[in-house]
Protein backbone atom coordinates (compact mmCIF):
# COMPACT_ATOMS: atom_id res chain seq x y z
CA UNK A 1 0.00 0.00 0.00
CA UNK A 2 1.39 3.29 -0.98
CA UNK A 3 0.56 6.61 0.68
CA UNK A 4 2.31 9.38 -1.19
CA UNK A 5 4.70 11.00 1.24
CA UNK A 6 3.86 14.51 0.07
CA UNK A 7 0.15 14.06 0.30
CA UNK A 8 0.38 12.48 3.71
CA UNK A 9 2.45 15.36 5.01
CA UNK A 10 0.03 17.89 3.59
CA UNK A 11 -2.94 15.79 4.67
CA UNK A 12 -4.67 16.48 1.38
CA UNK A 13 -5.60 13.00 0.22
CA UNK A 14 -9.41 13.10 0.43
CA UNK A 15 -10.40 11.05 3.42
CA UNK A 16 -13.26 10.79 5.88
CA UNK A 17 -13.36 13.20 8.81
CA UNK A 18 -13.16 11.63 12.25
CA UNK A 19 -15.57 13.24 14.69
CA UNK A 20 -15.14 12.72 18.44
CA UNK A 21 -18.46 13.29 20.18
CA UNK A 22 -18.07 14.76 23.68
CA UNK A 23 -14.59 13.33 24.17
CA UNK A 24 -13.37 13.48 27.75
CA UNK A 25 -9.66 13.07 28.39
CA UNK A 26 -7.21 15.15 26.38
CA UNK A 27 -4.77 12.25 26.34
CA UNK A 28 -7.34 10.13 24.52
CA UNK A 29 -7.90 12.84 21.92
CA UNK A 30 -4.15 12.99 21.35
CA UNK A 31 -3.94 9.22 21.14
CA UNK A 32 -6.77 9.18 18.58
CA UNK A 33 -4.89 11.79 16.53
CA UNK A 34 -1.82 9.55 16.46
CA UNK A 35 -3.90 6.48 15.63
CA UNK A 36 -5.56 8.16 12.62
CA UNK A 37 -2.41 9.59 11.18
CA UNK A 38 -0.80 6.15 11.05
CA UNK A 39 -3.10 5.57 8.10
CA UNK A 40 -3.04 8.99 6.52
CA UNK A 41 -6.23 10.43 7.99
CA UNK A 42 -5.72 13.89 9.41
CA UNK A 43 -9.17 15.53 9.51
CA UNK A 44 -10.43 15.72 13.09
CA UNK A 45 -13.52 17.41 14.52
CA UNK A 46 -14.54 17.64 18.16
CA UNK A 47 -18.16 18.10 19.16
CA UNK A 48 -18.45 19.62 22.67
CA UNK A 49 -15.16 18.34 24.14
CA UNK A 50 -15.60 18.06 27.91
CA UNK A 51 -12.50 20.08 28.78
CA UNK A 52 -12.82 22.68 26.02
CA UNK A 53 -10.19 23.48 23.44
CA UNK A 54 -7.30 23.85 22.95
CA UNK A 55 -6.25 21.11 25.33
CA UNK A 56 -2.55 20.91 26.25
CA UNK A 57 -2.86 17.25 27.21
CA UNK A 58 -4.19 16.41 23.77
CA UNK A 59 -1.33 18.30 22.12
CA UNK A 60 1.24 16.66 24.34
CA UNK A 61 -0.04 13.15 23.70
CA UNK A 62 -0.38 13.80 19.97
CA UNK A 63 3.32 14.64 19.80
CA UNK A 64 4.41 14.01 16.18
CA UNK A 65 0.75 13.99 15.09
CA UNK A 66 0.47 17.65 16.01
CA UNK A 67 -0.85 18.60 12.57
CA UNK A 68 -4.04 16.72 13.38
CA UNK A 69 -4.48 18.61 16.65
CA UNK A 70 -3.51 21.95 15.16
CA UNK A 71 -6.02 21.59 12.33
CA UNK A 72 -8.81 20.12 14.48
CA UNK A 73 -12.14 21.92 14.27
CA UNK A 74 -14.32 22.34 17.36
CA UNK A 75 -18.11 22.65 17.47
CA UNK A 76 -20.69 23.25 20.18
CA UNK A 77 -22.68 20.20 19.27
CA UNK A 78 -22.86 17.28 16.89
CA UNK A 79 -25.31 18.90 14.48
CA UNK A 80 -22.90 21.76 13.92
CA UNK A 81 -20.01 19.35 13.41
CA UNK A 82 -21.95 17.44 10.76
CA UNK A 83 -23.63 20.32 8.96
CA UNK A 84 -21.51 20.06 5.81
CA UNK A 85 -21.25 16.27 5.80
CA UNK A 86 -23.13 14.18 3.30
CA UNK A 87 -22.57 10.73 4.71
CA UNK A 88 -22.08 9.81 8.33
CA UNK A 89 -21.12 6.53 9.95
CA UNK A 90 -21.49 5.99 13.69
CA UNK A 91 -18.99 3.66 15.35
CA UNK A 92 -20.65 1.77 18.12
CA UNK A 93 -20.76 -1.72 19.58
CA UNK A 94 -24.14 -1.41 21.23
CA UNK A 95 -27.19 -2.58 19.36
CA UNK A 96 -29.71 0.22 18.90
CA UNK A 97 -33.45 0.17 18.41
CA UNK A 98 -32.95 1.84 15.08
CA UNK A 99 -33.25 0.55 11.55
CA UNK A 100 -29.84 1.98 10.66
CA UNK A 101 -27.87 -0.55 8.66
CA UNK A 102 -24.92 -2.08 10.45
CA UNK A 103 -21.67 -2.49 8.52
CA UNK A 104 -18.49 -4.35 9.33
CA UNK A 105 -15.44 -2.09 9.24
CA UNK A 106 -14.34 -3.42 5.86
CA UNK A 107 -17.73 -2.79 4.29
CA UNK A 108 -17.85 0.67 5.81
CA UNK A 109 -14.40 1.44 4.42
CA UNK A 110 -15.43 0.39 0.92
CA UNK A 111 -18.54 2.57 1.20
CA UNK A 112 -16.41 5.50 2.35
CA UNK A 113 -13.92 4.99 -0.46
CA UNK A 114 -16.69 5.08 -3.03
CA UNK A 115 -18.33 8.19 -1.60
CA UNK A 116 -15.15 10.13 -0.82
CA UNK A 117 -13.98 9.20 -4.30
CA UNK A 118 -17.07 10.79 -5.78
CA UNK A 119 -16.62 13.97 -3.79
CA UNK A 120 -18.96 13.45 -0.81
CA UNK A 121 -17.85 14.78 2.55
CA UNK A 122 -17.97 11.85 4.92
CA UNK A 123 -17.65 11.64 8.69
CA UNK A 124 -17.08 8.79 11.09
CA UNK A 125 -18.34 9.33 14.64
CA UNK A 126 -16.67 8.04 17.79
CA UNK A 127 -18.30 8.40 21.19
CA UNK A 128 -16.80 9.58 24.46
CA UNK A 129 -14.86 7.14 26.61
CA UNK A 130 -17.46 6.67 29.29
CA UNK A 131 -20.71 6.11 27.43
CA UNK A 132 -19.98 5.95 23.76
CA UNK A 133 -22.50 7.48 21.36
CA UNK A 134 -26.05 8.20 22.48
CA UNK A 135 -28.99 6.92 20.47
CA UNK A 136 -29.61 10.52 19.41
CA UNK A 137 -26.07 10.69 18.08
CA UNK A 138 -26.51 7.42 16.20
CA UNK A 139 -29.80 8.63 14.77
CA UNK A 140 -27.81 11.18 12.75
CA UNK A 141 -25.86 8.49 10.97
CA UNK A 142 -26.46 6.86 7.60
CA UNK A 143 -24.94 3.65 8.85
CA UNK A 144 -23.50 2.05 11.93
CA UNK A 145 -20.00 0.62 11.94
CA UNK A 146 -19.60 -2.17 14.38
CA UNK A 147 -16.17 -3.62 15.13
CA UNK A 148 -16.82 -7.32 15.60
CA UNK A 149 -15.37 -7.90 19.03
CA UNK A 150 -15.44 -10.92 21.27
CA UNK A 151 -18.80 -10.86 23.05
CA UNK A 152 -17.11 -12.34 26.12
CA UNK A 153 -14.52 -9.54 26.26
CA UNK A 154 -14.79 -6.19 24.49
CA UNK A 155 -12.36 -3.47 25.58
CA UNK A 156 -11.53 -1.40 22.52
CA UNK A 157 -10.76 2.16 23.56
CA UNK A 158 -11.22 5.37 21.55
CA UNK A 159 -7.78 5.40 19.94
CA UNK A 160 -8.02 1.70 19.11
CA UNK A 161 -11.43 2.16 17.46
CA UNK A 162 -10.03 5.05 15.43
CA UNK A 163 -7.03 2.86 14.54
CA UNK A 164 -9.16 -0.02 13.24
CA UNK A 165 -11.39 2.25 11.17
CA UNK A 166 -8.43 4.19 9.76
CA UNK A 167 -6.62 0.94 9.04
CA UNK A 168 -9.61 -0.42 7.13
CA UNK A 169 -9.84 2.86 5.22
CA UNK A 170 -6.22 2.49 4.16
CA UNK A 171 -6.67 -1.18 3.31
CA UNK A 172 -9.69 -0.43 1.16
CA UNK A 173 -7.56 1.98 -0.82
CA UNK A 174 -5.13 -0.61 -1.97
CA UNK A 175 -5.60 -4.32 -1.66
CA UNK A 176 -2.19 -5.13 -3.05
CA UNK A 177 0.61 -6.59 -0.97
CA UNK A 178 2.74 -4.07 0.75
CA UNK A 179 6.04 -3.98 -0.91
CA UNK A 180 7.11 -5.38 -4.18
CA UNK A 181 9.75 -8.00 -3.59
CA UNK A 182 13.29 -6.72 -4.01
CA UNK A 183 15.07 -7.90 -7.10
CA UNK A 184 17.52 -9.80 -4.98
CA UNK A 185 14.67 -11.66 -3.31
CA UNK A 186 13.51 -13.12 -6.60
CA UNK A 187 13.79 -16.88 -6.42
CA UNK A 188 16.61 -18.22 -8.51
CA UNK A 189 15.59 -19.91 -11.69
CA UNK A 190 15.41 -23.65 -11.86
CA UNK A 191 18.63 -23.87 -13.84
CA UNK A 192 20.56 -22.39 -10.93
CA UNK A 193 18.92 -24.89 -8.61
CA UNK A 194 19.71 -27.77 -10.94
CA UNK A 195 23.35 -26.73 -10.99
CA UNK A 196 23.36 -26.71 -7.20
CA UNK A 197 21.75 -30.15 -7.12
CA UNK A 198 24.49 -31.50 -9.42
CA UNK A 199 27.23 -30.26 -7.10
CA UNK A 200 25.39 -31.27 -3.94
CA UNK A 201 24.64 -34.77 -5.16
CA UNK A 202 28.16 -35.29 -6.46
CA UNK A 203 29.52 -34.35 -3.08
CA UNK A 204 27.06 -36.70 -1.38
CA UNK A 205 28.05 -39.50 -3.76
CA UNK A 206 31.71 -38.96 -2.90
CA UNK A 207 30.74 -39.21 0.78
CA UNK A 208 28.83 -42.45 0.20
CA UNK A 209 25.70 -40.76 1.46
CA UNK A 210 23.25 -42.61 -0.76
CA UNK A 211 22.94 -46.06 0.74
CA UNK A 212 21.73 -48.53 -0.22
CA UNK A 213 22.16 -47.63 -3.89
CA UNK A 214 18.61 -48.50 -4.84
CA UNK A 215 17.35 -45.81 -2.49
CA UNK A 216 19.28 -43.07 -4.27
CA UNK A 217 16.57 -41.96 -6.73
CA UNK A 218 13.99 -41.52 -3.98
CA UNK A 219 16.47 -39.71 -1.69
CA UNK A 220 17.51 -37.40 -4.51
CA UNK A 221 13.90 -36.67 -5.33
CA UNK A 222 13.05 -35.77 -1.75
CA UNK A 223 16.05 -33.48 -1.39
CA UNK A 224 15.26 -31.75 -4.65
CA UNK A 225 11.62 -31.28 -3.67
CA UNK A 226 12.58 -29.76 -0.35
CA UNK A 227 14.98 -27.29 -1.92
CA UNK A 228 12.78 -26.55 -4.91
CA UNK A 229 9.90 -25.13 -2.92
CA UNK A 230 12.11 -23.09 -0.59
CA UNK A 231 12.33 -20.21 -3.03
CA UNK A 232 16.05 -19.76 -2.54
CA UNK A 233 17.47 -16.69 -4.18
CA UNK A 234 20.61 -16.73 -6.35
CA UNK A 235 22.61 -15.35 -3.45
CA UNK A 236 21.35 -18.07 -1.16
CA UNK A 237 22.23 -20.73 -3.69
CA UNK A 238 25.73 -19.33 -3.97
CA UNK A 239 25.93 -19.57 -0.19
CA UNK A 240 24.78 -23.17 -0.26
CA UNK A 241 27.39 -23.98 -2.93
CA UNK A 242 30.01 -22.53 -0.62
CA UNK A 243 28.75 -24.54 2.34
CA UNK A 244 28.83 -27.77 0.38
CA UNK A 245 32.34 -27.03 -0.87
CA UNK A 246 33.56 -26.21 2.62
CA UNK A 247 32.05 -29.32 4.22
CA UNK A 248 33.41 -31.52 1.42
CA UNK A 249 36.92 -30.29 2.02
CA UNK A 250 37.00 -31.66 5.54
CA UNK A 251 39.34 -34.59 5.96
CA UNK A 252 37.40 -37.82 5.76
CA UNK B 1 -18.68 -12.51 13.01
CA UNK B 2 -19.38 -15.02 15.63
CA UNK B 3 -17.05 -16.13 18.39
CA UNK B 4 -18.85 -18.66 20.54
CA UNK B 5 -19.10 -17.25 24.04
CA UNK B 6 -18.14 -20.50 25.67
CA UNK B 7 -15.17 -21.08 23.47
CA UNK B 8 -13.98 -17.52 23.90
CA UNK B 9 -14.21 -17.84 27.66
CA UNK B 10 -12.34 -21.11 27.59
CA UNK B 11 -9.99 -19.77 24.97
CA UNK B 12 -10.21 -23.02 23.08
CA UNK B 13 -10.82 -21.90 19.53
CA UNK B 14 -7.54 -22.78 17.81
CA UNK B 15 -5.73 -19.58 17.16
CA UNK B 16 -2.19 -18.34 16.64
CA UNK B 17 -0.02 -17.75 19.70
CA UNK B 18 1.16 -14.18 20.21
CA UNK B 19 4.78 -14.03 21.30
CA UNK B 20 6.17 -10.85 22.84
CA UNK B 21 9.94 -10.77 22.40
CA UNK B 22 11.74 -9.03 25.27
CA UNK B 23 8.75 -6.88 26.19
CA UNK B 24 9.60 -4.07 28.55
CA UNK B 25 6.76 -2.38 30.42
CA UNK B 26 4.24 -4.53 32.25
CA UNK B 27 1.47 -2.10 31.34
CA UNK B 28 2.13 -2.76 27.66
CA UNK B 29 1.98 -6.51 28.18
CA UNK B 30 -1.37 -6.07 29.92
CA UNK B 31 -2.61 -3.79 27.15
CA UNK B 32 -1.57 -6.36 24.55
CA UNK B 33 -3.49 -9.03 26.46
CA UNK B 34 -6.63 -6.88 26.33
CA UNK B 35 -6.10 -6.08 22.66
CA UNK B 36 -5.81 -9.77 21.68
CA UNK B 37 -8.78 -10.92 23.67
CA UNK B 38 -11.03 -8.44 21.90
CA UNK B 39 -10.77 -10.82 18.96
CA UNK B 40 -10.76 -14.13 20.76
CA UNK B 41 -7.00 -14.76 20.89
CA UNK B 42 -5.85 -15.79 24.34
CA UNK B 43 -2.54 -17.63 23.84
CA UNK B 44 0.35 -15.44 24.98
CA UNK B 45 4.03 -16.27 25.31
CA UNK B 46 6.77 -14.00 26.61
CA UNK B 47 10.39 -14.47 25.61
CA UNK B 48 12.75 -12.94 28.18
CA UNK B 49 10.47 -10.24 29.56
CA UNK B 50 12.66 -7.41 30.84
CA UNK B 51 11.05 -7.26 34.28
CA UNK B 52 10.57 -10.97 34.77
CA UNK B 53 7.29 -12.72 35.50
CA UNK B 54 4.75 -12.56 37.01
CA UNK B 55 4.41 -8.82 36.62
CA UNK B 56 1.78 -7.07 38.75
CA UNK B 57 1.60 -4.13 36.35
CA UNK B 58 0.73 -6.46 33.50
CA UNK B 59 -1.97 -8.13 35.57
CA UNK B 60 -3.38 -4.81 36.67
CA UNK B 61 -3.55 -3.40 33.16
CA UNK B 62 -4.97 -6.62 31.77
CA UNK B 63 -7.90 -6.34 34.17
CA UNK B 64 -10.76 -8.30 32.60
CA UNK B 65 -8.31 -10.03 30.27
CA UNK B 66 -6.70 -11.76 33.21
CA UNK B 67 -7.10 -15.21 31.67
CA UNK B 68 -4.53 -14.24 29.06
CA UNK B 69 -2.05 -13.13 31.71
CA UNK B 70 -2.75 -16.10 33.97
CA UNK B 71 -2.19 -18.58 31.16
CA UNK B 72 0.81 -16.78 29.67
CA UNK B 73 3.91 -18.93 29.20
CA UNK B 74 7.35 -17.47 29.82
CA UNK B 75 10.60 -18.56 28.19
CA UNK B 76 14.25 -17.63 28.59
CA UNK B 77 14.69 -16.89 24.92
CA UNK B 78 12.91 -16.84 21.60
CA UNK B 79 14.15 -20.26 20.46
CA UNK B 80 12.57 -21.83 23.52
CA UNK B 81 9.32 -19.94 22.94
CA UNK B 82 9.15 -21.20 19.35
CA UNK B 83 10.39 -24.74 19.78
CA UNK B 84 6.98 -26.35 19.23
CA UNK B 85 5.82 -23.91 16.56
CA UNK B 86 5.64 -24.88 12.91
CA UNK B 87 4.94 -21.53 11.32
CA UNK B 88 6.12 -18.18 12.56
CA UNK B 89 5.28 -14.66 11.41
CA UNK B 90 7.35 -11.67 12.53
CA UNK B 91 5.52 -8.35 12.86
CA UNK B 92 7.83 -5.56 11.88
CA UNK B 93 7.77 -2.33 9.92
CA UNK B 94 11.48 -2.20 9.17
CA UNK B 95 12.79 -3.61 5.94
CA UNK B 96 15.37 -6.31 6.58
CA UNK B 97 18.24 -7.59 4.52
CA UNK B 98 16.61 -11.00 4.39
CA UNK B 99 14.66 -12.66 1.63
CA UNK B 100 11.77 -13.48 3.95
CA UNK B 101 8.44 -12.77 2.21
CA UNK B 102 6.46 -9.75 3.41
CA UNK B 103 2.71 -10.11 3.87
CA UNK B 104 0.00 -7.55 4.47
CA UNK B 105 -1.97 -8.28 7.64
CA UNK B 106 -4.93 -9.66 5.68
CA UNK B 107 -2.75 -12.06 3.71
CA UNK B 108 -1.01 -13.16 6.88
CA UNK B 109 -4.35 -13.79 8.54
CA UNK B 110 -5.53 -15.97 5.67
CA UNK B 111 -2.28 -17.93 5.82
CA UNK B 112 -2.70 -18.39 9.56
CA UNK B 113 -6.32 -19.50 9.17
CA UNK B 114 -5.31 -22.17 6.66
CA UNK B 115 -2.46 -23.48 8.78
CA UNK B 116 -4.19 -23.32 12.15
CA UNK B 117 -7.14 -24.99 10.48
CA UNK B 118 -4.91 -27.86 9.41
CA UNK B 119 -3.46 -28.26 12.89
CA UNK B 120 -0.17 -26.39 12.66
CA UNK B 121 0.96 -24.47 15.71
CA UNK B 122 1.51 -20.90 14.58
CA UNK B 123 3.08 -17.94 16.31
CA UNK B 124 3.09 -14.22 15.62
CA UNK B 125 6.08 -12.29 17.01
CA UNK B 126 5.94 -8.74 18.34
CA UNK B 127 9.10 -6.90 19.36
CA UNK B 128 9.81 -4.88 22.47
CA UNK B 129 8.68 -1.27 22.66
CA UNK B 130 12.04 0.32 22.21
CA UNK B 131 13.65 -1.48 19.32
CA UNK B 132 11.16 -3.91 17.88
CA UNK B 133 12.41 -7.28 16.63
CA UNK B 134 16.08 -7.83 15.88
CA UNK B 135 17.20 -9.25 12.56
CA UNK B 136 18.09 -12.47 14.38
CA UNK B 137 14.53 -12.64 15.67
CA UNK B 138 13.13 -12.06 12.18
CA UNK B 139 15.43 -14.72 10.72
CA UNK B 140 13.45 -17.32 12.68
CA UNK B 141 10.25 -16.44 10.86
CA UNK B 142 8.59 -17.99 7.83
CA UNK B 143 7.15 -14.61 6.84
CA UNK B 144 7.09 -10.99 7.84
CA UNK B 145 3.84 -9.17 8.57
CA UNK B 146 4.02 -5.48 7.86
CA UNK B 147 1.20 -3.15 8.86
CA UNK B 148 1.01 -0.63 6.03
CA UNK B 149 1.44 2.60 7.93
CA UNK B 150 1.86 6.14 6.70
CA UNK B 151 5.55 6.57 5.84
CA UNK B 152 5.32 10.18 7.03
CA UNK B 153 3.97 9.18 10.44
CA UNK B 154 4.13 5.71 11.95
CA UNK B 155 3.38 5.38 15.67
CA UNK B 156 1.68 2.04 16.21
CA UNK B 157 2.46 0.72 19.67
CA UNK B 158 2.65 -2.88 20.87
CA UNK B 159 -1.00 -3.20 21.88
CA UNK B 160 -2.17 -1.55 18.68
CA UNK B 161 -0.07 -3.90 16.53
CA UNK B 162 -1.51 -6.86 18.43
CA UNK B 163 -4.98 -5.39 17.95
CA UNK B 164 -4.63 -5.05 14.18
CA UNK B 165 -3.25 -8.57 13.76
CA UNK B 166 -5.91 -10.07 16.03
CA UNK B 167 -8.59 -8.08 14.23
CA UNK B 168 -7.44 -9.37 10.85
CA UNK B 169 -7.38 -12.93 12.26
CA UNK B 170 -11.00 -12.54 13.31
CA UNK B 171 -11.98 -10.99 10.00
CA UNK B 172 -10.34 -13.81 8.06
CA UNK B 173 -12.42 -16.30 10.01
CA UNK B 174 -15.57 -14.74 8.74
CA UNK B 175 -14.65 -14.68 5.17
CA UNK B 176 -12.97 -17.98 4.99
CA UNK B 177 -13.58 -20.55 2.71
CA UNK B 178 -11.17 -22.55 4.75
CA UNK B 179 -8.46 -23.54 2.36
CA UNK B 180 -7.60 -27.19 2.26
CA UNK B 181 -4.24 -27.97 3.80
CA UNK B 182 -1.44 -27.84 1.30
CA UNK B 183 -0.12 -31.05 -0.09
CA UNK B 184 3.24 -31.05 1.58
CA UNK B 185 3.68 -32.55 4.99
CA UNK B 186 3.40 -30.52 8.13
CA UNK B 187 6.42 -28.31 8.71
CA UNK B 188 8.76 -29.38 11.49
CA UNK B 189 8.70 -27.26 14.60
CA UNK B 190 11.36 -24.63 15.17
CA UNK B 191 13.16 -26.75 17.78
CA UNK B 192 13.96 -29.31 15.09
CA UNK B 193 15.26 -26.56 12.85
CA UNK B 194 17.32 -25.06 15.66
CA UNK B 195 18.92 -28.44 16.29
CA UNK B 196 19.78 -28.72 12.61
CA UNK B 197 21.30 -25.23 12.64
CA UNK B 198 23.52 -26.22 15.59
CA UNK B 199 24.87 -29.20 13.71
CA UNK B 200 25.15 -27.41 10.40
CA UNK B 201 26.95 -24.40 11.84
CA UNK B 202 29.31 -26.57 13.91
CA UNK B 203 30.25 -28.43 10.78
CA UNK B 204 30.78 -25.19 8.90
CA UNK B 205 32.92 -23.86 11.75
CA UNK B 206 35.07 -26.97 11.63
CA UNK B 207 35.45 -26.37 7.90
CA UNK B 208 36.47 -22.73 8.43
CA UNK B 209 33.53 -21.70 6.30
CA UNK B 210 32.82 -18.47 8.15
CA UNK B 211 35.49 -16.05 7.06
CA UNK B 212 36.32 -13.44 8.06
CA UNK B 213 35.14 -14.06 11.61
CA UNK B 214 33.31 -10.78 11.92
CA UNK B 215 31.05 -11.82 9.05
CA UNK B 216 29.87 -14.95 10.86
CA UNK B 217 26.76 -13.47 12.55
CA UNK B 218 25.41 -12.10 9.29
CA UNK B 219 26.20 -15.30 7.38
CA UNK B 220 24.53 -17.39 10.06
CA UNK B 221 21.50 -15.12 10.04
CA UNK B 222 21.10 -15.37 6.28
CA UNK B 223 21.41 -19.16 6.30
CA UNK B 224 18.89 -19.45 9.10
CA UNK B 225 16.45 -17.11 7.38
CA UNK B 226 16.71 -19.11 4.17
CA UNK B 227 16.05 -22.39 5.94
CA UNK B 228 13.42 -21.00 8.32
CA UNK B 229 11.07 -20.00 5.57
CA UNK B 230 11.46 -23.22 3.56
CA UNK B 231 8.89 -25.10 5.64
CA UNK B 232 11.01 -28.24 5.82
CA UNK B 233 9.23 -31.26 7.24
CA UNK B 234 10.74 -33.43 9.97
CA UNK B 235 11.69 -36.02 7.37
CA UNK B 236 13.45 -33.41 5.29
CA UNK B 237 15.36 -32.13 8.26
CA UNK B 238 16.51 -35.64 9.07
CA UNK B 239 17.68 -35.88 5.50
CA UNK B 240 19.58 -32.64 5.80
CA UNK B 241 21.24 -33.85 9.01
CA UNK B 242 22.36 -36.94 7.14
CA UNK B 243 23.71 -34.89 4.30
CA UNK B 244 25.71 -32.65 6.59
CA UNK B 245 27.06 -35.64 8.48
CA UNK B 246 28.02 -37.39 5.29
CA UNK B 247 29.74 -34.38 3.85
CA UNK B 248 31.65 -33.56 6.96
CA UNK B 249 32.10 -36.93 8.62
CA UNK B 250 32.35 -35.22 11.96
CA UNK B 251 32.31 -37.51 14.98
CA UNK B 252 28.68 -38.15 15.98
Amino acid sequence: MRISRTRAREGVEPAPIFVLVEPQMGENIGAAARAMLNFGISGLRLAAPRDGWPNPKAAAMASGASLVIDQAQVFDDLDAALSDCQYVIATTARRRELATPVLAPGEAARELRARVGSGQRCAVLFGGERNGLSSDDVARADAILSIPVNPAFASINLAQAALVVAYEWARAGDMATIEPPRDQDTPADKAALAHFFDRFESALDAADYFYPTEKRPGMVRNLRAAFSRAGFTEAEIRTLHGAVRALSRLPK
Side-chain angles (χ1 to χ4, degrees), chain A:
Chain A
M1 185 193 74
R2 193 159 301 282
I3 298 181
S4 133
R5 185 179 284 273
T6 304
R7 293 172 85 190
R9 207 166 38 235
E10 296 172 355
V12 300
E13 181 192 49
I17 296 162
F18 279 16
V19 180
L20 309 188
V21 184
E22 296 177 34
Q24 291 160 352
M25 297 179 63
E27 293 87 338
N28 292 338
I29 299 174
R34 293 174 70 77
M36 299 158 55
L37 198 57
N38 274 299
F39 297 107
I41 298 184
S42 58
L44 179 65
R45 292 183 178 179
L46 311 176
R50 180 192 72 181
D51 298 340
W53 198 257
N55 184 323
K57 290 182 180 172
M61 179 63 95
S63 187
S66 56
L67 86 88
V68 177
I69 295 295
D70 295 342
Q71 294 173 1
Q73 298 172 296
V74 187
F75 300 85
D76 289 340
D77 57 42
L78 184 54
D79 275 334
L82 297 181
S83 62
D84 60 350
C85 299
Q86 293 154 295
Y87 184 75
V88 174
I89 295 185
T91 306
T92 177
R94 296 207 319 275
R95 205 13 152 167
R96 309 293 171 140
E97 294 311 313
L98 298 167
T100 317
V102 178
L103 307 176
E107 297 175 292
R110 286 191 294 276
E111 186 72 29
L112 289 168
R113 280 284 175 183
R115 291 172 180 272
V116 167
S118 63
Q120 297 181 27
R121 181 171 280 107
C122 301
V124 183
L125 311 184
F126 299 88
E129 301 91 296
R130 186 173 298 262
N131 298 318
L133 296 171
S134 71
S135 291
D136 284 342
D137 296 333
V138 177
R140 287 163 170 74
D142 294 77
I144 287 170
L145 181 162
S146 191
I147 299 174
V149 282
N150 182 353
F153 180 83
S155 77
I156 292 197
N157 63 36
L158 173 61
Q160 288 173 337
L163 187 84
V164 171
V165 178
Y167 166 72
E168 281 283 25
W169 162 259
R171 203 177 61 80
D174 187 340
M175 304 292 272
T177 43
I178 311 282
E179 305 170 37
R182 305 177 303 173
D183 280 346
Q184 60 264 43
D185 293 344
T186 309
D189 59 32
K190 299 306 182 184
L193 255 180
H195 178 53
F196 169 72
F197 291 149
D198 282 346
R199 294 290 188 89
F200 189 26
E201 290 153 16
S202 296
L204 291 171
D205 280 327
D208 293 321
Y209 171 71
F210 297 110
Y211 180 86
T213 325
E214 55 269 25
K215 283 198 157 182
R216 188 184 188 280
M219 294 168 80
V220 161
R221 183 181 315 122
N222 286 337
L223 272 170
R224 291 186 180 196
F227 279 80
S228 293
R229 70 170 199 275
F232 290 129
T233 64
E234 291 196 1
E236 287 167 339
I237 290 187
R238 280 195 296 273
T239 299
L240 291 174
H241 272 290
V244 169
R245 263 198 312 274
L247 292 178
S248 305
R249 276 200 304 266
L250 284 167
K252 304 289 180 291

